[in-house]
Structures are given as structure tokens and as C-alpha cells.
Amino acid sequence: MSAHTPWKPSAPPALLPMMQVRCEVDALVSLGPGPCGERRYVPLAGGSVVGPELNGTVVAGGVDWQLQRADGVLEIGAHYVIRTNDGALVEVRSDGLRHGPPEVMVRLAAGEPVARDAYFFRTLMRFTTGDARWLHLNKVMAIASGERQARLVVLDVWRLA
């Protein structure tokens, strides 16, 4: 048998600035406790998208599905549409986690302002469109660093190169 060769990692992929999403959110709706935690959702009321790679608006009607786990971690599954400035429609699926010290999470839940570096809020994003001008987005994976405000979610998004 051959000896195991030590792992020598390659360089990590580059992160390229893509956009900032500012999404207005409506009131949280709880479906109550379930077998894995409290299931809830937040209707997405619209917003703006600005950046070097994508500009447009968040179309009202998306939903941020959430699972509040017993360990204090919030699982996030947002699904919404961006209308680009040139009229294309781009589906966005954003899956992530939000967690932090209990006292910070209580303040966030109450709608109080909390510095984004006081808690963890990250999502993995994928895009789908049939618009010929934006077909390259169907091959993009992106990550976002988020901030939750009382009526707004702000996501700084980077494309993996």
C-alpha cells in the first residue's frame, strides 16, 4: 500500500464583487413549532440591486423561509426575483445561516440596530434566467454577507471566480 500523501491545498477561489441587495421585508409569520424547530417565513416586499455586475430591483412577492432551530441557529431559504435594469428576470435562490450570541439575537428579533460583525449571517446564492443577455448567471455561484435591520435585509454579494 502507498502512504497517504499530505494534503497541499490549492489557492482558494477569488471572490469578485457582484452586487448589493437591499430587500424590504414585511412582518415575520410563524407556522409554529415543528419537529425540527419553529417554521416561519418573511414576505419580501421589493428592493434594490446595485453593483458592478448586476443592477435592478427586487420584485415584490418573494419569500424568505426560515427554520429557527433549538440550538439558536436560523436556517434561511430565500427565493425571489430580480428585474435587471434592462428588463430581464433573474430567479435567485439564497440558502444560509444566521446565528450569534443569544443577547444579540434577541436584539435582532426586537428590530433593534445591531452591528453586522456582532453575528454571523451568510448565504450561498444561485441564479436562473432564460434571458439571453444574462445566461452567464446560470453558471454563477455567489456568497453573501448579510445584515438584518428592522424592515430591511442588506446582502453584500461576491461571485466565486
Side-chain angles (χ1 to χ4, degrees):
M1 280 203 224
S2 63
H4 181 356
T5 305
W7 178 51
K8 294 181 183 175
S10 60
L15 297 176
L16 305 174
M18 188 175 182
M19 63 185 160
Q20 183 180 74
V21 177
R22 298 179 66 83
C23 186
E24 300 163 20
V25 296
D26 288 333
L28 178 134
V29 178
S30 176
L31 281 66
C36 297
E38 178 193 8
R39 176 57 85 181
R40 55 201 210 175
Y41 69 91
V42 177
L44 305 179
S48 63
V49 178
V50 177
E53 291 195 18
L54 194 59
N55 291 277
T57 58
V58 176
V59 177
V63 177
D64 180 3
W65 283 98
Q66 302 178 350
L67 179 67
Q68 182 64 61
R69 300 183 339 202
D71 64 358
V73 174
L74 184 67
E75 293 184 10
I76 298 165
H79 193 195
Y80 55 95
V81 172
I82 293 172
R83 182 183 307 278
T84 64
N85 284 349
D86 59 7
L89 296 174
V90 179
E91 174 189 18
V92 180
R93 289 192 177 267
S94 181
D95 296 307
L97 299 173
R98 191 170 74 213
H99 57 81
E103 62 277 7
V104 169
M105 302 315 287
V106 166
R107 290 179 52 218
L108 273 179
E112 294 179 21
V114 177
R116 72 170 31 206
D117 62 356
Y119 58 99
F120 181 92
F121 182 3
R122 305 287 186 272
T123 69
L124 309 169
M125 300 174 79
R126 299 286 307 270
F127 309 92
T128 305
T129 187
D131 191 293
R133 299 166 294 180
W134 294 95
L135 290 178
H136 66 279
L137 291 177
N138 295 331
K139 302 173 188 173
V140 168
M141 295 177 75
I143 62 169
S145 175
E147 176 183 356
R148 179 66 156 95
Q149 300 175 9
R151 299 294 305 229
L152 187 72
V153 171
V154 180
L155 297 171
D156 292 329
V157 183
W158 294 270
R159 177 174 52 85
L160 282 90

